[in-house]
Amino acid sequence: MIRFETRRHFLRKLGISVAAMPLAWNLPSLGFANQQRRKQRLVVVFSPNGVVPKNFWPDEAGKDFKFKQILEPLEPYRDRTLVLHGVCDKVRGDGDNHMRGIGCLLTGVELFPGNIQGGSHTPAGWSSGMSLDQEIKNFLQAEETTRTRFGSLEFGVMVPERADTWTRMVYSGPNKPIAPIDDPYQMFGKLYGAPADTASLKSVLDELQDDLRKLSKVVSKEDRRLLDEHASYVRSMERELVAAKQSDLGHAVPDIEPGVKETNDNMPRLSKMQIDLLVNSLANDFARVATLQYTNSVGQAKMRWLDAEEGHHDLSHEPDSNEKAQEKLTRINRWFCEQIAYLVERLAATREPGGPGTLLDNTTVVWTNELGQGNTHTLDNIPFVLVGNGLDFRMGRSLKYPKLAHNRLLLSLAHGFGHRIEQFGNPDYCGEGPLPDLS
Amino acid sequence: MVSAANLDGEQIYRQQCARCHGDRGQGVTKEYGKPLVGDRSVAELAKIIDRTMPEDAPQKCVGDDARKVAAFIYERFYGPIAQERNRPARVELARLTVRQHQYTICDLLASFRGAQQWREPSGLKAEYFNKGNFQTKERMLERVDPGVTFDFGEGSPFDEKIGRDSFSIRWQGGVLAPETGEYEFILDSENAARLWVDGDARPLIDALVRSGDDTEHRETIFLLAGEVYPLRLELQKSEKAKDKTASIELRWKPPQRAEEIIPAQALSPHWYPQRFVLSTRFPPDDRSTGYERGNSISQAWEKAATDAALETAEHVIAQLDDYAGIRNKKGDRNKLLREFAERWVTRAFRRPLTDEQKQFFVDRPFKESPDAETAVKRVVLLSLVSPRFLYQDLPQERHDSYAVACRLSYAVWDSLPDDTLLSAAAQGHLTNPDSVRWHAARMMNDPRAQAKLRAFLDQWLNVDRFVDLAKDARRYPDFDRETVDDLRTALDLFVNDILSSSTADFRELLLARWLYLNGRLGSLYGARLPPDAPFQKVTFDDPQRAGVLTHPYLMAGLAYTATSSPIHRGVFVARSVLGRALRPPPEAVAPLPVDLHQDLTTRQRVALQTNAQACQACHRMINPLGFAFEHFDAVGRYREIELGKPIDAGGVYQTKRGDKVTFRNVRELAEYLATSDETHEAFVEQLFHYLVKQPIRAFGAQQISQLRQRFVDQDCNIRKLAIEIAVIAATSSKAYDLAVHSQATP
């Protein structure tokens, strides 16, 4: 079972000097050494419950295509976008389609039999394989030139506080789901330590010095040595803190809004905070692989800010004939697309540190979903929208495939990083290798 | 006149110098009153002596003689190292040791959550529910289960009332950690199950998802010995999950011990509050004088103490409403938090605050912080990095009842006083030694006291150094990892049995002819037990058994991988049991390889190796003590011959007073040790140092012999000795006075 890398563990590992850490990571000589090859990054974003196909998929194939309602927010990045229709999750076996939809999405392999019972089908457990993002992370971490502090970062937005097949997309191995971190403050602590601690510490050290001075006057000569020594250590810690504070941290540590509670209605703010942290951690080269998971498979966000009072999953079950529901679903999916657009905008606005261009020139964002369509629960035509130039794919196109297995797309992503594996997940679906016509 | 040519420095000093300077350089009032101490070098001293000494006849001590005397003076009392060595023992200012720090934080936080006594160890409260979701109206059965190991098959746990397809069970209570360290909890079930060990915040093991054939879940958690942690375990069998069968087992693997079903004596069916254990790692304490003490600090310690304060502050803030007791409480939140902050500092400092302290540690942070949460965080931080928290017995705080309470609780528990003790202090009850003794006896029944005594005995027996014990696999193929864990468990059971008995007899510890073995150990150590027999008392009739001294775990630990080691065993007896001072060997010597001396017994080989004059100074004492154990081989099995020759375990020990003690084997040696003054004195001194962490000589020159007499008068009861020691430490404020008075001397 995977547990969060908690603040306690973090403190144990790094101690108080985390305050000074962003500095160290930001030193050109440390952070950006060994850059013969360009950096490549992958960000996988998940949103649940399928899409509304008629408002999602472009009618045209090729370079000349038009974005429909849902994908419109990506218009400014049309020439850096690739829409892949006809990619299907063919993995079957135990578990219902929502479970397999998320559990096999990045692993491409069956779930173990288990005790988690969905709406239909047989009960199932965790995935029986590693997910592709972790495969690529391991590939990058194995080489010194591409190794980063974390390798990969798993972000979430409003992921329910329970570990089951519907809430986990990323696996470090069979039966090893990784929990996404959906609390921006927890993620902030993981990335930068907690500067708030530094502040509160700073505030008490002066007073501590006072107290030590007072005591020092009343102890014996022999014992005074101990207190004086203590005071000198406190002084040196104080100096360290001051030094860390005075240095210009630049964009190394992002400002995040304080005190945002994890509630349904705060979802837009939480989303922005997580995206800001994500982009910042890429800029600092903390990781080259990231995932961002919105809610969970069968997620029930109530997007009141879009006039969609009902839970997302409940809405997605409504038939095509329920036009009101389809409209709401379209708004919901468009909202997710706006989040992708914000992420892409931030990547495009951030200069590539130590190299030419921007982060977007070296980052591929993959937006995906556990289902093709909510009311049919189909695993055909899983939405895959790619934005950015992290991999050498020819962008600015809409492609229509004849129902090819999504394992082949997973292979394409690996090959894009130069990781030329022949199979990923269930080999039965890897037949002819990476998808054709991408690069 | 006798020429001084072949006299050494000491002899010359005695002849020519001691008349005026005293036999230890302390000075002679009518002649030369000042002590011979200073910072000149040996060469300078030699020159002075050559020219000027003795005053009445400077020509009598010149050249080589002067140099010899100078070296002698310098080394014995003149030089800085000698001065330090000869300094009278005194109570030194000390910070909390690492162990004390961990316990203090843990118990400080627990005091805000309603700390509970450990009681009725018998198992866990179990509630059995019809259907899979713990609904109160479906609760059909409530009882105490001594342990969790059930296989319900396809049936129901309670046929009359609970259906077989769908039910749920909840076990709750407290679990007592017998040792400090990393515990592995193992939950084995094919059903949905979850385990919480340190509170409700997050399950330690979340096995709601069954996946594949994976039914065994393991997680590790760091626990402090003698503390009680809340434990909750839930099992759900549901039709929906298509569970055919149901079974569950809850095991643990305590540090370096054998994995086992958590036994009933470690489980209580009562409610216990959430615990918090620091995860900050501290640098180890100074142990150069034989016991851990807090009289030195370092940058690493200061950093760890600060990290610990931050970690604690963060935890308190995260659960502030629980700690402050203001969940669902009406009233002015700021006011309630301020009251909490004041209570916090009072408890952390183990005494009521003066007005000035209240102003400094509570009022000011509240005045200067933007909101009450920030203020509380500052208060917690400031209090935990303050010397008033980190140190013990600060000068102005040494003479009131609170000082007595603190010294008592740190001696017995390594932790802060509980509410009972603090209120006794507040009412002035601790001025009376009998009252202090009553509290000490009361506190000795707490598992933390037992844990501290156990930790002492582990150190006394050296077993805290036995890490990764392993043996030559060709010679001892059965001595595997599990055997080592079993042996450690067997030693625990043995020591605990004696410590917790009403007599707690030190002599029994050294002389018992029984030990605990299980089936696996039985076959290795020659006891007739079924292979799967659980641990049980086994009495040996071979003549050599001598309690813990010949315990196979100790024997195996004090041995090489293929042969016994009389030197390790002899050093253990000399240092720990007899309290003899041994210098480190003059040079590092590798043991003689067995291959080169294949015809020699271990005893002969060790004798050969240590026959040099330089070695014999110590090995004359060490070797016979070690040879006494030769009936026990490298894994602690009894033997009567080695290399076809009968074992020779006989020897002589010369006591500190010069008496000779002859023994033919380890049993006879043990019988001497169990009753000798020397052993008792050594035990008293070491236990005192471990409990009090200050030199016993600072509590009076006669303290050791008085305590030894009391120990013997009380039938060598270890627990009663610990109580006496704690009472002395708590009530001897005179010893602490000395520390203040020395302020006056320049």
Side-chain angles (χ1 to χ4, degrees):
Chain A
M1 188 89 15
I2 300 303
R3 309 183 77 206
F4 280 144
E5 179 83 342
T6 64
R7 167 103 180 94
R8 284 169 70 178
H9 295 132
F10 186 67
L11 259 181
R12 181 196 291 183
K13 271 195 210 139
L14 292 159
I16 191 76
S17 58
V18 291
M21 216 170 40
L23 284 176
W25 291 108
N26 214 22
L27 288 176
S29 59
L30 286 178
F32 307 108
N34 303 315
Q35 295 190 33
Q36 296 89 344
R37 263 179 37 199
R38 72 165 179 145
K39 264 178 266 179
Q40 288 182 290
R41 305 186 190 84
L42 177 70
V43 180
V44 179
V45 185
F46 170 92
S47 65
N49 299 324
V51 295
V52 181
K54 59 175 182 183
N55 297 330
F56 185 88
W57 298 109
D59 293 329
E60 311 81 0
K63 280 193 150 192
D64 295 319
F65 68 97
K66 284 194 191 70
F67 280 127
K68 297 217 169 143
Q69 221 171 329
I70 292 175
L71 292 184
E72 251 171 16
L74 288 174
E75 186 61 43
Y77 307 98
R78 158 200 289 279
D79 57 342
R80 313 183 76 165
T81 301
L82 197 52
V83 185
L84 306 179
H85 183 262
V87 181
C88 307
D89 178 353
K90 302 200 171 186
V91 183
R92 295 298 177 257
D94 292 313
D96 71 13
N97 282 17
H98 280 291
M99 292 159 79
R100 275 184 281 121
I102 189 167
C104 313
L105 184 59
L106 297 183
T107 63
V109 69
E110 286 76 7
L111 303 178
F112 279 121
N115 64 344
I116 298 300
Q117 177 67 61
S120 55
H121 300 80
T122 51
W126 303 119
S127 171
S128 61
M130 180 191 286
S131 57
L132 184 85
D133 56 306
Q134 296 301 299
E135 174 78 27
I136 292 175
K137 166 217 178 142
N138 293 345
F139 172 72
L140 296 176
Q141 293 297 82
E143 279 292 323
E144 188 145 355
T145 50
T146 49
R147 193 174 301 151
T148 51
R149 185 167 147 221
F150 295 107
S152 71
L153 288 167
E154 290 73 37
F155 291 82
V157 174
M158 293 297 293
V159 179
E161 188 65 42
R162 52 163 219 269
D164 61 31
T165 324
W166 295 291
T167 58
R168 298 292 180 262
M169 173 172 72
V170 175
Y171 287 83
S172 63
N175 272 339
K176 298 273 178 234
I178 295 180
I181 297 179
D182 68 345
D183 175 356
Y185 302 105
Q186 188 188 347
M187 185 56 96
F188 190 91
K190 175 172 170 147
L191 296 176
Y192 306 100
D197 283 352
T198 314
S200 34
L201 196 59
K202 175 85 181 61
S203 72
V204 304
L205 289 185
D206 281 344
E207 294 169 22
L208 175 56
Q209 295 276 23
D210 282 358
D211 203 25
L212 279 166
R213 259 193 299 277
K214 265 184 242 164
L215 277 173
S216 185
K217 284 182 198 145
V218 295
V219 299
S220 67
K221 187 185 75 176
E222 293 90 336
D223 291 339
R224 193 172 306 142
R225 179 191 53 82
L226 196 67
L227 291 180
D228 290 349
E229 208 179 332
H230 191 163
S232 75
Y233 295 137
V234 174
R235 272 195 300 279
S236 81
M237 175 174 286
E238 207 169 4
R239 275 196 298 273
E240 206 179 293
L241 290 178
V242 170
K245 210 172 184 182
Q246 282 170 349
S247 311
D248 178 18
L249 295 179
H251 70 261
V253 180
D255 283 330
I256 62 170
E257 196 178 342
V260 178
K261 292 237 156 56
E262 278 193 68
T263 59
N264 181 75
D265 292 353
N266 275 336
M267 196 164 158
R269 291 157 88 187
L270 292 164
S271 171
K272 177 176 183 302
M273 289 161 81
Q274 292 289 64
I275 289 172
D276 288 346
L277 282 174
L278 197 163
V279 172
N280 215 276
S281 57
L282 296 183
N284 281 320
D285 209 16
F286 289 167
R288 305 261 172 103
V289 174
T291 49
L292 172 57
Q293 177 183 328
Y294 284 89
T295 71
N296 57 306
S297 169
V298 303
Q300 279 286 36
K302 296 186 172 72
M303 300 209 182
R304 300 191 187 99
W305 59 95
L306 303 174
D307 287 329
E309 291 285 335
E310 302 88 341
H312 182 187
H313 175 243
D314 292 347
L315 267 177
S316 76
H317 271 241
E318 292 297 319
D320 288 352
S321 55
N322 183 342
E323 280 185 23
K324 261 215 157 112
Q326 296 310 314
E327 256 173 51
K328 285 180 183 171
L329 286 169
T330 301
R331 283 207 295 278
I332 289 171
N333 276 293
R334 185 181 164 108
W335 182 82
F336 283 124
C337 189
E338 284 165 0
Q339 310 310 302
I340 304 293
Y342 177 66
L343 168 63
V344 170
E345 178 196 317
R346 295 281 299 118
L347 290 171
T350 309
R351 295 202 53 75
E352 175 69 63
T358 70
L359 292 184
L360 190 62
D361 296 335
N362 300 310
T363 305
T364 291
V365 177
V366 178
W367 177 29
T368 184
N369 199 304
E370 91 269 26
L371 295 179
Q373 189 177 349
N375 53 15
T376 65
H377 288 89
T378 178
L379 293 174
D380 285 346
N381 301 324
I382 300 287
F384 283 108
V385 178
L386 280 56
V387 194
N389 304 78
L391 311 174
D392 294 325
F393 295 167
R394 282 185 290 123
M395 309 306 283
R397 297 181 298 155
S398 154
L399 294 183
K400 299 211 179 269
Y401 289 114
K403 297 207 168 175
L404 301 183
H406 88 297
N407 292 60
R408 298 181 62 186
L409 171 60
L410 300 180
L411 283 176
S412 303
L413 297 174
H415 285 222
F417 277 87
H419 184 34
R420 305 200 171 276
I421 42 178
E422 285 174 18
Q423 298 172 347
F424 191 77
N426 186 334
D428 290 351
Y429 309 121
C430 302
E432 292 154 83
L435 287 180
D437 196 26
L438 280 178
S439 45
Chain B
M1 171 164 283
V2 183
S3 156
N6 25 7
L7 298 181
D8 64 20
E10 181 168 6
Q11 289 162 324
I12 300 168
Y13 180 84
R14 276 206 217 117
Q15 280 186 3
Q16 303 189 3
C17 324
R19 190 170 52 85
C20 301
H21 290 293
D23 56 350
R24 281 166 288 118
Q26 74 274 35
V28 172
T29 321
K30 284 184 189 156
E31 304 297 338
Y32 184 79
K34 288 188 207 153
L36 275 182
V37 294
D39 52 10
R40 289 194 170 88
S41 70
V42 177
E44 281 178 288
L45 280 179
K47 211 179 262 177
I48 295 170
I49 294 168
D50 186 301
R51 288 185 195 153
T52 65
M53 291 287 146
E55 254 182 349
D56 49 357
Q59 74 285 3
K60 261 174 78 182
C61 186
V62 292
D64 257 2
D65 283 355
R67 270 191 291 279
K68 280 195 257 179
V69 172
F72 167 76
I73 291 173
Y74 188 89
E75 199 202 306
R76 280 303 170 82
F77 37 74
Y78 182 87
I81 294 167
Q83 286 178 49
E84 189 61 37
R85 190 175 58 233
N86 295 337
R87 195 184 293 279
R90 64 177 197 98
V91 169
E92 292 177 49
L93 180 64
R95 57 165 173 83
L96 300 179
T97 64
V98 174
R99 187 184 150 89
Q100 290 172 338
H101 205 133
Q102 288 171 325
Y103 276 91
T104 303
I105 294 278
C106 183
D107 293 336
L108 172 62
L109 287 155
S111 73
F112 289 94
R113 287 187 176 267
Q116 297 290 311
Q117 290 288 322
W118 174 243
R119 61 201 172 103
E120 296 179 291
S122 52
L124 294 169
K125 181 175 116 179
E127 297 165 283
Y128 290 74
F129 301 84
N130 193 26
K131 302 201 179 132
N133 44 5
F134 308 101
Q135 279 180 304
T136 313
K137 65 179 170 65
E138 298 282 358
R139 187 172 58 204
M140 298 297 157
L141 176 64
E142 189 181 317
R143 65 181 186 197
V144 173
D145 284 334
V148 179
T149 168
F150 296 99
D151 185 351
F152 304 113
E154 296 186 13
S156 155
F158 186 42
D159 279 328
E160 306 94 90
K161 295 278 187 62
I162 294 178
R164 46 190 283 185
D165 294 329
S166 175
F167 57 84
S168 45
I169 310 171
R170 179 187 293 134
W171 290 272
Q172 283 185 95
V175 59
L176 174 71
E179 290 292 324
T180 292
E182 300 280 349
Y183 284 71
E184 198 173 15
F185 282 80
I186 302 109
L187 170 58
D188 200 339
S189 173
E190 73 268 37
N191 311 101
R194 282 192 291 179
L195 172 72
W196 291 260
V197 174
D198 55 354
D200 292 335
R202 180 181 300 144
L204 178 67
I205 296 179
D206 184 341
L208 278 183
V209 177
R210 181 186 76 233
S211 186
D213 301 327
D214 207 5
T215 62
E216 193 186 82
H217 306 270
R218 291 171 175 268
E219 278 298 333
T220 301
I221 185 170
F222 182 86
L223 303 178
L224 287 176
E227 298 283 5
V228 189
Y229 303 82
L231 184 146
R232 176 154 63 103
L233 174 64
E234 292 182 351
L235 173 78
Q236 290 166 280
K237 180 182 183 187
S238 84
E239 240 168 324
K240 211 177 153 196
K242 303 211 165 41
D243 287 339
K244 266 212 191 85
T245 59
S247 72
I248 187 165
E249 191 162 277
L250 180 62
R251 304 189 295 269
W252 69 358
K253 188 182 180 316
Q256 294 175 51
R257 308 306 197 273
E259 184 176 315
E260 60 180 0
I261 292 164
I262 303 180
Q265 67 266 25
L267 297 170
S268 161
H270 299 287
W271 177 86
Y272 291 92
Q274 186 192 315
R275 301 316 296 258
F276 171 76
V277 176
L278 281 175
S279 62
T280 302
R281 289 289 178 263
F282 286 80
D285 290 318
D286 175 59
R287 239 173 88 166
S288 58
T289 46
Y291 56 98
E292 283 165 359
R293 53 186 190 153
N295 60 353
S296 65
I297 60 174
S298 61
Q299 184 85 62
W301 171 80
E302 147 72 11
K303 192 162 127 46
T306 311
D307 284 353
L310 278 169
E311 188 191 340
T312 309
E314 186 155 316
H315 171 78
V316 169
I317 294 303
Q319 301 183 22
L320 187 54
D321 285 8
D322 290 332
Y323 280 110
I326 55 176
R327 186 172 289 273
N328 306 322
K329 212 175 186 179
K330 296 234 159 46
D332 180 0
R333 186 175 162 80
N334 273 17
K335 188 164 159 278
L336 291 168
L337 286 179
R338 200 186 180 99
E339 283 164 12
F340 164 71
E342 193 176 337
R343 270 203 316 280
W344 170 275
V345 181
T346 309
R347 284 195 183 160
F349 293 176
R350 288 92 74 176
R351 58 175 51 250
L353 302 181
T354 63
D355 288 344
E356 191 194 353
Q357 285 167 351
K358 185 173 168 294
Q359 206 281 325
F360 186 83
F361 289 101
V362 183
D363 298 346
R364 204 160 101 182
F366 266 82
K367 200 161 48 186
E368 292 173 3
S369 300
D371 55 69
E373 265 87 4
T374 312
V376 171
K377 187 166 186 180
R378 273 180 73 170
V379 170
V380 172
L381 262 180
L382 183 59
S383 62
L384 297 188
V385 296
S386 163
R388 296 168 205 281
F389 169 79
L390 292 172
Y391 291 77
Q392 291 194 64
D393 283 301
L394 287 168
Q396 305 122 313
E397 301 175 346
R398 280 174 174 159
H399 299 99
D400 58 11
S401 287
Y402 292 100
V404 174
C406 283
R407 291 196 292 258
L408 184 60
S409 71
Y410 278 95
V412 181
W413 290 338
D414 273 341
S415 188
L416 34 70
D418 60 1
D419 284 348
T420 313
L421 192 56
L422 283 176
S423 67
Q427 290 159 26
H429 289 169
L430 298 182
T431 46
N432 166 3
D434 287 338
S435 164
V436 175
R437 184 169 288 107
W438 181 86
H439 278 282
R442 167 184 76 81
M443 293 161 70
M444 196 55 74
N445 289 323
D446 187 287
R448 284 172 292 173
Q450 176 101 351
K452 190 170 176 184
L453 280 181
R454 275 306 319 276
F456 163 69
L457 287 174
D458 282 355
Q459 189 179 314
W460 183 69
L461 290 170
N462 285 254
V463 297
D464 58 342
R465 297 181 194 180
F466 297 174
V467 280
D468 295 330
L469 188 54
K471 295 295 168 185
D472 185 330
R474 273 177 307 135
R475 208 179 270 225
Y476 304 105
D478 297 335
F479 197 86
D480 52 13
R481 191 72 246 164
E482 283 75 27
T483 305
V484 176
D485 290 346
D486 280 351
L487 277 179
R488 177 78 214 220
T489 306
L491 179 78
D492 282 355
L493 290 167
F494 175 83
V495 174
N496 285 342
D497 199 301
I498 289 174
L499 263 191
S500 55
S501 74
S502 58
T503 53
D505 193 335
F506 175 74
R507 296 163 300 192
E508 179 75 354
L509 194 65
L510 301 191
L511 293 176
R513 288 185 185 276
W514 51 270
L515 39 105
Y516 277 88
L517 294 177
N518 65 2
R520 182 159 43 194
L521 294 180
S523 71
L524 188 59
Y525 293 98
R528 271 183 225 99
L529 294 173
D532 58 346
F535 279 100
Q536 54 199 279
K537 252 188 192 179
V538 176
T539 302
F540 285 83
D541 46 14
D542 61 61
Q544 304 298 347
R545 223 32 86 160
V548 76
L549 296 176
T550 60
H551 194 281
Y553 187 64
L554 206 69
M555 289 293 92
L558 299 171
Y560 294 110
T561 59
T563 63
S564 70
S565 174
I567 296 177
H568 284 89
R569 293 168 177 182
V571 167
F572 158 65
V573 173
R575 278 205 175 129
S576 276
V577 185
L578 289 161
R580 299 299 299 263
L582 292 177
R583 283 193 212 161
E587 50 191 304
V589 185
L592 289 181
V594 178
D595 307 2
L596 295 182
H597 304 275
Q598 288 187 352
D599 52 333
L600 296 186
T601 63
T602 306
R603 178 171 184 146
Q604 290 165 332
R605 210 172 51 244
V606 170
L608 175 66
Q609 168 160 18
T610 57
N611 66 359
Q613 202 53 43
C615 306
Q616 277 298 302
C618 294
H619 281 272
R620 200 173 295 128
M621 180 194 336
I622 297 168
N623 291 0
L625 293 173
F627 293 148
F629 293 87
E630 271 303 276
H631 280 106
F632 296 90
D633 68 8
V635 295
R637 273 188 321 208
Y638 182 71
R639 62 180 177 182
E640 288 186 340
I641 48 172
E642 187 193 10
L643 301 176
K645 298 169 194 165
I647 294 288
D648 174 7
V652 176
Y653 167 65
Q654 188 163 33
T655 67
K656 279 185 196 166
R657 270 192 278 159
D659 304 335
K660 285 197 166 134
V661 179
T662 310
F663 50 87
R664 282 176 298 171
N665 53 48
V666 71
R667 179 76 201 177
E668 289 184 7
L669 173 62
E671 276 163 7
Y672 162 73
L673 294 173
T675 52
S676 90
D677 286 358
E678 211 171 300
T679 309
H680 294 161
E681 216 158 82
F683 189 76
V684 163
E685 181 176 4
Q686 291 171 76
L687 183 58
F688 189 100
H689 285 159
Y690 191 84
L691 297 183
V692 182
K693 309 199 182 302
Q694 295 286 359
I696 189 170
R697 286 180 301 135
F699 292 78
Q702 298 308 307
Q703 198 57 260
I704 293 184
S705 57
Q706 284 166 5
L707 267 170
R708 179 188 56 74
Q709 195 54 51
R710 250 183 95 98
F711 185 41
V712 174
D713 293 346
Q714 293 181 325
D715 295 320
C716 294
N717 186 311
I718 299 170
R719 292 157 57 85
K720 286 184 179 164
L721 173 63
I723 292 172
E724 290 307 318
I725 289 173
V727 171
I728 286 165
T731 54
S732 306
S733 50
K734 245 196 246 162
Y736 292 84
D737 278 348
L738 280 177
V740 184
H741 287 157
S742 72
Q743 195 185 342
T745 57

